[in-house]
Amino acid sequence: MDEVESVYTDIIMEHSTATYNKHELGNGAVKEHGHNPSCGDDITLEIIWNGDLIEDLAFTGSGCAISQASTSIMIDLLKGKTKEEALNLINIFLRMIKREDITEEETAKLEDAIALKNISNLPARVKCAELAWYTMEKLIEK
Amino acid sequence: MNNYDIKKDFHILKDITYLDSGATTQKPVQVINAIKNYYENNNANPHRGAYKLSIKATDVYDEARKKVSQFINARQTNEIVFTRNATESLNLIAYSYGMNNIKKGDTILLSIMEHHSNLVPWQNVCKKNGAKLEYMYVNNEGLLYEEDICKKIVPGVKVVGITQVSNVLGTINPVKEIVKRAHQVGAIVVVDASQSVPHMKVNVQDLDADFLVFSGHKMLAPLGIGVLYGKRELLNKLSPFLFGGDMIEYVYEQETTYAEVPTKFEAGTQNVEGAIGLSAAIDYLNNIGMNDVQKMEEEILEYAMSKLLKLDFITVYGPKDLSKHAGVISFNVNGVHPHDVASILDSNNVCIRSGNHCAQPLLRYMGLDSTCRASFYIYNTKEDVDKLIESLNKTRKVFEKWMK
Ligand SMILES: Cc1ncc(COP(=O)(O)O)c(C=O)c1O
Ligand SMILES: [Zn+2]
């Protein structure tokens, strides 16, 4: 398997073309804009809170397959989670991307997001995978 | 000499297909050795020490200036100012000329295809001085058109900024005609030659350009050396850009008089290594001959275009008439984002650029988000083009199943 095949897997490609998470949430949503100036990926995350719970989460924007897939996968993972759980998952994900050690238990928590593990095979694209997660972190702390 | 012989001088190109010379070119051994030789035999701070070595350093620096002036056919050697790059040259003009001469109500006119470096500095001048910023637009092939040029270059326009070759679309602009028209209405013309001087014979007197800028690193020279050409009488009138050592004549407690042009614009210790490298790069290009340089690139462009246009999943942008098209091709793989294309090409060791190429207003005007860009130079061969095509087919395969 070459480096490209290790990244452009079926899961990533499916999410990159999926549109069910890609829409606006309307009134009551809190928004955060994320942008990679070097490559042009540009997303806006929208969240609706129910107390501490992420009741709804969606995005709009454009970018490469990696950034779009990563955003969609993240939304699937974080919807319905509490603020604290979400921050923890973001932390695990970003450590995985940076090739730091994560436990088996932590890995299991990431579900489909594990598919982005190999992005470090394409160093030029790490930022694309991280964008949604850093933006989400800012959105949660807003 | 053909491109196969030339390639042997570029050791870095052993295992890669380098198609990003529009961003920066690779360097031949001759340039690398010239820099090595400078440090092993001639290095000192020019203009300062009173000893033989410093004189030597000064001499080689001055020779490099002369080489550059002859290369673009300037009237005088001291019409050449060394800078860090085209961007710094353009900032020098915008600050020293623009800030002091452009007034409220004046117009600065640019083409919509300017690189950010010939756009943002002028935007800044307009904001500070209350001048208007206007643009000459392009048709759907990315060509400026006469009607718009005539409509925009009118009395009240004080500066026209024009790139000779677009770094996005490869468009070759009719600079000579634009200069003529601009002079008729009393405007000065700033020519961005970053993508032309490396690739074709450029003659500043024939163009009658008032200012012309380029970067060494896009023409085989090291990073960090750039050129500003200015007509002598204009340079003489400009106030300095950076202040400090070397650019002065006398310094008193409250007053300073400045050195003559070009030293007036070269404050602080200069990049002599860069100037030496640029001089060696010019020797290298002259040895091939700029006519042959251009011919070789035309051949590669023609070959690449014919191959690309055969791929039905590719959209190519820019002029169809190849006589108005330099060795830069912007394209998209339909349905695939340029970043993804670049990554898949990279896995085949094919280097292209993707993104907005520092020309956001142009891409926005053309309704594009970003493009892939392949740009060629004298060391590129038909095999490089074949590798590009093969890798684009691979890209297509990876994405085929998912394209809608
Ligand atoms: C047309 C054009 N102008 C200006 C520049 C800026 O060059 P530099 O970054 O060397 O200052 C470039 C380089 O990308 C260019 O292509
Ligand atoms: Zn991206």
Side-chain angles (χ1 to χ4, degrees), chain B residues 236-259:
Chain B
N236 280 340
K237 275 192 261 172
L238 291 198
S239 48
F241 173 47
L242 299 173
F243 297 78
D246 293 322
M247 52 78 69
I248 50 88
E249 184 189 28
Y250 294 107
V251 178
Y252 305 94
E253 285 188 21
Q254 305 295 336
E255 289 300 328
T256 294
T257 56
Y258 304 117

PDB file of all heavy atoms in Angstrom, chain B residues 236-259:
ATOM      1  N   ASN B 236      16.959  59.032  -9.046  1.00  0.00           N
ATOM      2  CA  ASN B 236      17.594  60.200  -8.423  1.00  0.00           C
ATOM      3  C   ASN B 236      16.612  61.005  -7.585  1.00  0.00           C
ATOM      4  O   ASN B 236      16.969  61.560  -6.553  1.00  0.00           O
ATOM      5  CB  ASN B 236      18.194  61.112  -9.491  1.00  0.00           C
ATOM      6  CG  ASN B 236      19.541  60.598  -9.973  1.00  0.00           C
ATOM      7  OD1 ASN B 236      20.189  59.809  -9.274  1.00  0.00           O
ATOM      8  ND2 ASN B 236      19.954  61.024 -11.157  1.00  0.00           N
ATOM      9  N   LYS B 237      15.379  61.057  -8.050  1.00  0.00           N
ATOM     10  CA  LYS B 237      14.378  61.871  -7.359  1.00  0.00           C
ATOM     11  C   LYS B 237      13.763  61.180  -6.143  1.00  0.00           C
ATOM     12  O   LYS B 237      13.164  61.838  -5.302  1.00  0.00           O
ATOM     13  CB  LYS B 237      13.254  62.239  -8.343  1.00  0.00           C
ATOM     14  CG  LYS B 237      13.578  63.486  -9.172  1.00  0.00           C
ATOM     15  CD  LYS B 237      12.350  63.973  -9.911  1.00  0.00           C
ATOM     16  CE  LYS B 237      12.384  63.485 -11.343  1.00  0.00           C
ATOM     17  NZ  LYS B 237      11.211  63.715 -12.138  1.00  0.00           N
ATOM     18  N   LEU B 238      13.890  59.859  -6.103  1.00  0.00           N
ATOM     19  CA  LEU B 238      13.230  59.123  -5.011  1.00  0.00           C
ATOM     20  C   LEU B 238      13.930  59.347  -3.685  1.00  0.00           C
ATOM     21  O   LEU B 238      15.157  59.415  -3.619  1.00  0.00           O
ATOM     22  CB  LEU B 238      13.253  57.613  -5.274  1.00  0.00           C
ATOM     23  CG  LEU B 238      12.412  57.035  -6.394  1.00  0.00           C
ATOM     24  CD1 LEU B 238      12.260  55.541  -6.171  1.00  0.00           C
ATOM     25  CD2 LEU B 238      11.075  57.715  -6.472  1.00  0.00           C
ATOM     26  N   SER B 239      13.134  59.408  -2.618  1.00  0.00           N
ATOM     27  CA  SER B 239      13.751  59.414  -1.295  1.00  0.00           C
ATOM     28  C   SER B 239      14.103  57.974  -0.923  1.00  0.00           C
ATOM     29  O   SER B 239      13.543  57.033  -1.462  1.00  0.00           O
ATOM     30  CB  SER B 239      12.804  60.031  -0.279  1.00  0.00           C
ATOM     31  OG  SER B 239      11.533  59.465  -0.401  1.00  0.00           O
ATOM     32  N   PRO B 240      15.033  57.808   0.012  1.00  0.00           N
ATOM     33  CA  PRO B 240      15.460  56.451   0.381  1.00  0.00           C
ATOM     34  C   PRO B 240      14.305  55.648   0.962  1.00  0.00           C
ATOM     35  O   PRO B 240      13.295  56.197   1.374  1.00  0.00           O
ATOM     36  CB  PRO B 240      16.525  56.688   1.444  1.00  0.00           C
ATOM     37  CG  PRO B 240      16.946  58.102   1.293  1.00  0.00           C
ATOM     38  CD  PRO B 240      15.781  58.845   0.746  1.00  0.00           C
ATOM     39  N   PHE B 241      14.501  54.335   0.980  1.00  0.00           N
ATOM     40  CA  PHE B 241      13.492  53.415   1.505  1.00  0.00           C
ATOM     41  C   PHE B 241      13.906  52.966   2.906  1.00  0.00           C
ATOM     42  O   PHE B 241      13.220  53.217   3.880  1.00  0.00           O
ATOM     43  CB  PHE B 241      13.379  52.233   0.535  1.00  0.00           C
ATOM     44  CG  PHE B 241      12.496  51.119   1.001  1.00  0.00           C
ATOM     45  CD1 PHE B 241      11.233  51.362   1.528  1.00  0.00           C
ATOM     46  CD2 PHE B 241      12.915  49.788   0.884  1.00  0.00           C
ATOM     47  CE1 PHE B 241      10.407  50.311   1.934  1.00  0.00           C
ATOM     48  CE2 PHE B 241      12.089  48.744   1.279  1.00  0.00           C
ATOM     49  CZ  PHE B 241      10.849  49.007   1.807  1.00  0.00           C
ATOM     50  N   LEU B 242      15.073  52.352   3.008  1.00  0.00           N
ATOM     51  CA  LEU B 242      15.615  51.956   4.306  1.00  0.00           C
ATOM     52  C   LEU B 242      16.785  52.871   4.641  1.00  0.00           C
ATOM     53  O   LEU B 242      17.552  53.259   3.756  1.00  0.00           O
ATOM     54  CB  LEU B 242      16.076  50.497   4.267  1.00  0.00           C
ATOM     55  CG  LEU B 242      14.977  49.473   3.958  1.00  0.00           C
ATOM     56  CD1 LEU B 242      15.579  48.083   3.762  1.00  0.00           C
ATOM     57  CD2 LEU B 242      13.928  49.454   5.065  1.00  0.00           C
ATOM     58  N   PHE B 243      16.915  53.221   5.910  1.00  0.00           N
ATOM     59  CA  PHE B 243      17.934  54.178   6.327  1.00  0.00           C
ATOM     60  C   PHE B 243      18.969  53.488   7.203  1.00  0.00           C
ATOM     61  O   PHE B 243      18.653  52.516   7.892  1.00  0.00           O
ATOM     62  CB  PHE B 243      17.275  55.313   7.113  1.00  0.00           C
ATOM     63  CG  PHE B 243      16.301  56.121   6.285  1.00  0.00           C
ATOM     64  CD1 PHE B 243      15.032  55.649   6.013  1.00  0.00           C
ATOM     65  CD2 PHE B 243      16.679  57.357   5.757  1.00  0.00           C
ATOM     66  CE1 PHE B 243      14.145  56.387   5.242  1.00  0.00           C
ATOM     67  CE2 PHE B 243      15.798  58.099   4.985  1.00  0.00           C
ATOM     68  CZ  PHE B 243      14.520  57.608   4.725  1.00  0.00           C
ATOM     69  N   GLY B 244      20.198  53.993   7.188  1.00  0.00           N
ATOM     70  CA  GLY B 244      21.224  53.412   8.052  1.00  0.00           C
ATOM     71  C   GLY B 244      22.591  53.516   7.428  1.00  0.00           C
ATOM     72  O   GLY B 244      22.886  54.480   6.714  1.00  0.00           O
ATOM     73  N   GLY B 245      23.410  52.487   7.689  1.00  0.00           N
ATOM     74  CA  GLY B 245      24.774  52.489   7.204  1.00  0.00           C
ATOM     75  C   GLY B 245      24.839  52.356   5.694  1.00  0.00           C
ATOM     76  O   GLY B 245      23.888  51.903   5.059  1.00  0.00           O
ATOM     77  N   ASP B 246      25.928  52.770   5.111  1.00  0.00           N
ATOM     78  CA  ASP B 246      26.254  52.590   3.689  1.00  0.00           C
ATOM     79  C   ASP B 246      25.450  53.468   2.733  1.00  0.00           C
ATOM     80  O   ASP B 246      25.921  53.802   1.659  1.00  0.00           O
ATOM     81  CB  ASP B 246      26.073  51.131   3.244  1.00  0.00           C
ATOM     82  CG  ASP B 246      27.074  50.207   3.911  1.00  0.00           C
ATOM     83  OD1 ASP B 246      28.234  50.633   4.077  1.00  0.00           O
ATOM     84  OD2 ASP B 246      26.690  49.090   4.283  1.00  0.00           O
ATOM     85  N   MET B 247      24.225  53.805   3.107  1.00  0.00           N
ATOM     86  CA  MET B 247      23.387  54.554   2.163  1.00  0.00           C
ATOM     87  C   MET B 247      23.567  56.059   2.337  1.00  0.00           C
ATOM     88  O   MET B 247      22.883  56.844   1.699  1.00  0.00           O
ATOM     89  CB  MET B 247      21.902  54.161   2.277  1.00  0.00           C
ATOM     90  CG  MET B 247      21.260  54.194   3.644  1.00  0.00           C
ATOM     91  SD  MET B 247      20.824  55.839   4.234  1.00  0.00           S
ATOM     92  CE  MET B 247      19.491  56.230   3.127  1.00  0.00           C
ATOM     93  N   ILE B 248      24.509  56.467   3.176  1.00  0.00           N
ATOM     94  CA  ILE B 248      24.674  57.880   3.509  1.00  0.00           C
ATOM     95  C   ILE B 248      25.911  58.492   2.851  1.00  0.00           C
ATOM     96  O   ILE B 248      26.796  57.778   2.353  1.00  0.00           O
ATOM     97  CB  ILE B 248      24.794  58.078   5.034  1.00  0.00           C
ATOM     98  CG1 ILE B 248      25.859  57.123   5.618  1.00  0.00           C
ATOM     99  CG2 ILE B 248      23.467  57.813   5.688  1.00  0.00           C
ATOM    100  CD1 ILE B 248      27.237  57.598   5.626  1.00  0.00           C
ATOM    101  N   GLU B 249      25.952  59.818   2.866  1.00  0.00           N
ATOM    102  CA  GLU B 249      27.152  60.538   2.460  1.00  0.00           C
ATOM    103  C   GLU B 249      27.760  61.155   3.718  1.00  0.00           C
ATOM    104  O   GLU B 249      28.830  60.759   4.164  1.00  0.00           O
ATOM    105  CB  GLU B 249      26.764  61.590   1.427  1.00  0.00           C
ATOM    106  CG  GLU B 249      27.927  62.357   0.854  1.00  0.00           C
ATOM    107  CD  GLU B 249      27.457  63.537   0.011  1.00  0.00           C
ATOM    108  OE1 GLU B 249      26.360  64.071   0.277  1.00  0.00           O
ATOM    109  OE2 GLU B 249      28.200  63.945  -0.892  1.00  0.00           O
ATOM    110  N   TYR B 250      27.068  62.121   4.330  1.00  0.00           N
ATOM    111  CA  TYR B 250      27.497  62.693   5.605  1.00  0.00           C
ATOM    112  C   TYR B 250      26.374  62.578   6.628  1.00  0.00           C
ATOM    113  O   TYR B 250      25.209  62.807   6.290  1.00  0.00           O
ATOM    114  CB  TYR B 250      27.853  64.165   5.453  1.00  0.00           C
ATOM    115  CG  TYR B 250      29.070  64.385   4.588  1.00  0.00           C
ATOM    116  CD1 TYR B 250      28.938  64.896   3.306  1.00  0.00           C
ATOM    117  CD2 TYR B 250      30.349  64.078   5.068  1.00  0.00           C
ATOM    118  CE1 TYR B 250      30.041  65.085   2.490  1.00  0.00           C
ATOM    119  CE2 TYR B 250      31.461  64.260   4.258  1.00  0.00           C
ATOM    120  CZ  TYR B 250      31.300  64.767   2.976  1.00  0.00           C
ATOM    121  OH  TYR B 250      32.396  64.943   2.184  1.00  0.00           O
ATOM    122  N   VAL B 251      26.726  62.269   7.841  1.00  0.00           N
ATOM    123  CA  VAL B 251      25.723  62.222   8.908  1.00  0.00           C
ATOM    124  C   VAL B 251      26.108  63.213   9.988  1.00  0.00           C
ATOM    125  O   VAL B 251      27.231  63.170  10.510  1.00  0.00           O
ATOM    126  CB  VAL B 251      25.614  60.807   9.503  1.00  0.00           C
ATOM    127  CG1 VAL B 251      24.604  60.788  10.647  1.00  0.00           C
ATOM    128  CG2 VAL B 251      25.227  59.794   8.436  1.00  0.00           C
ATOM    129  N   TYR B 252      25.213  64.142  10.272  1.00  0.00           N
ATOM    130  CA  TYR B 252      25.393  65.087  11.372  1.00  0.00           C
ATOM    131  C   TYR B 252      24.416  64.723  12.469  1.00  0.00           C
ATOM    132  O   TYR B 252      23.580  63.849  12.301  1.00  0.00           O
ATOM    133  CB  TYR B 252      25.150  66.525  10.883  1.00  0.00           C
ATOM    134  CG  TYR B 252      26.022  66.874   9.703  1.00  0.00           C
ATOM    135  CD1 TYR B 252      25.542  66.716   8.403  1.00  0.00           C
ATOM    136  CD2 TYR B 252      27.332  67.319   9.892  1.00  0.00           C
ATOM    137  CE1 TYR B 252      26.345  67.002   7.308  1.00  0.00           C
ATOM    138  CE2 TYR B 252      28.143  67.611   8.800  1.00  0.00           C
ATOM    139  CZ  TYR B 252      27.646  67.452   7.508  1.00  0.00           C
ATOM    140  OH  TYR B 252      28.444  67.728   6.441  1.00  0.00           O
ATOM    141  N   GLU B 253      24.492  65.442  13.578  1.00  0.00           N
ATOM    142  CA  GLU B 253      23.614  65.086  14.692  1.00  0.00           C
ATOM    143  C   GLU B 253      22.144  65.181  14.306  1.00  0.00           C
ATOM    144  O   GLU B 253      21.322  64.385  14.728  1.00  0.00           O
ATOM    145  CB  GLU B 253      23.896  65.981  15.903  1.00  0.00           C
ATOM    146  CG  GLU B 253      25.187  65.588  16.597  1.00  0.00           C
ATOM    147  CD  GLU B 253      25.380  66.327  17.909  1.00  0.00           C
ATOM    148  OE1 GLU B 253      24.389  66.822  18.461  1.00  0.00           O
ATOM    149  OE2 GLU B 253      26.535  66.410  18.364  1.00  0.00           O
ATOM    150  N   GLN B 254      21.811  66.168  13.501  1.00  0.00           N
ATOM    151  CA  GLN B 254      20.398  66.386  13.177  1.00  0.00           C
ATOM    152  C   GLN B 254      20.079  66.206  11.691  1.00  0.00           C
ATOM    153  O   GLN B 254      18.926  66.276  11.299  1.00  0.00           O
ATOM    154  CB  GLN B 254      19.959  67.802  13.610  1.00  0.00           C
ATOM    155  CG  GLN B 254      20.213  68.127  15.054  1.00  0.00           C
ATOM    156  CD  GLN B 254      19.399  67.255  16.026  1.00  0.00           C
ATOM    157  OE1 GLN B 254      18.349  66.731  15.660  1.00  0.00           O
ATOM    158  NE2 GLN B 254      19.919  67.082  17.234  1.00  0.00           N
ATOM    159  N   GLU B 255      21.067  66.020  10.864  1.00  0.00           N
ATOM    160  CA  GLU B 255      20.830  65.962   9.412  1.00  0.00           C
ATOM    161  C   GLU B 255      21.686  64.865   8.780  1.00  0.00           C
ATOM    162  O   GLU B 255      22.742  64.519   9.313  1.00  0.00           O
ATOM    163  CB  GLU B 255      21.204  67.300   8.757  1.00  0.00           C
ATOM    164  CG  GLU B 255      20.261  68.456   9.073  1.00  0.00           C
ATOM    165  CD  GLU B 255      18.834  68.209   8.625  1.00  0.00           C
ATOM    166  OE1 GLU B 255      18.639  67.522   7.597  1.00  0.00           O
ATOM    167  OE2 GLU B 255      17.908  68.649   9.346  1.00  0.00           O
ATOM    168  N   THR B 256      21.238  64.386   7.626  1.00  0.00           N
ATOM    169  CA  THR B 256      22.028  63.408   6.870  1.00  0.00           C
ATOM    170  C   THR B 256      21.904  63.705   5.381  1.00  0.00           C
ATOM    171  O   THR B 256      20.827  64.077   4.904  1.00  0.00           O
ATOM    172  CB  THR B 256      21.527  61.973   7.147  1.00  0.00           C
ATOM    173  OG1 THR B 256      21.784  61.638   8.511  1.00  0.00           O
ATOM    174  CG2 THR B 256      22.231  60.951   6.263  1.00  0.00           C
ATOM    175  N   THR B 257      23.014  63.561   4.669  1.00  0.00           N
ATOM    176  CA  THR B 257      22.915  63.573   3.203  1.00  0.00           C
ATOM    177  C   THR B 257      23.167  62.153   2.726  1.00  0.00           C
ATOM    178  O   THR B 257      23.885  61.381   3.368  1.00  0.00           O
ATOM    179  CB  THR B 257      23.944  64.524   2.569  1.00  0.00           C
ATOM    180  OG1 THR B 257      25.251  64.133   3.019  1.00  0.00           O
ATOM    181  CG2 THR B 257      23.689  65.968   2.973  1.00  0.00           C
ATOM    182  N   TYR B 258      22.543  61.835   1.603  1.00  0.00           N
ATOM    183  CA  TYR B 258      22.545  60.440   1.179  1.00  0.00           C
ATOM    184  C   TYR B 258      23.535  60.183   0.061  1.00  0.00           C
ATOM    185  O   TYR B 258      23.894  61.076  -0.705  1.00  0.00           O
ATOM    186  CB  TYR B 258      21.137  60.030   0.751  1.00  0.00           C
ATOM    187  CG  TYR B 258      20.134  60.263   1.850  1.00  0.00           C
ATOM    188  CD1 TYR B 258      19.087  61.162   1.687  1.00  0.00           C
ATOM    189  CD2 TYR B 258      20.284  59.613   3.079  1.00  0.00           C
ATOM    190  CE1 TYR B 258      18.185  61.399   2.723  1.00  0.00           C
ATOM    191  CE2 TYR B 258      19.391  59.841   4.107  1.00  0.00           C
ATOM    192  CZ  TYR B 258      18.351  60.737   3.927  1.00  0.00           C
ATOM    193  OH  TYR B 258      17.480  60.968   4.944  1.00  0.00           O
ATOM    194  N   ALA B 259      23.909  58.913  -0.055  1.00  0.00           N
ATOM    195  CA  ALA B 259      24.813  58.484  -1.120  1.00  0.00           C
ATOM    196  C   ALA B 259      24.098  58.588  -2.469  1.00  0.00           C
ATOM    197  O   ALA B 259      22.884  58.781  -2.542  1.00  0.00           O
ATOM    198  CB  ALA B 259      25.249  57.044  -0.871  1.00  0.00           C
TER     199      ALA B 259
END
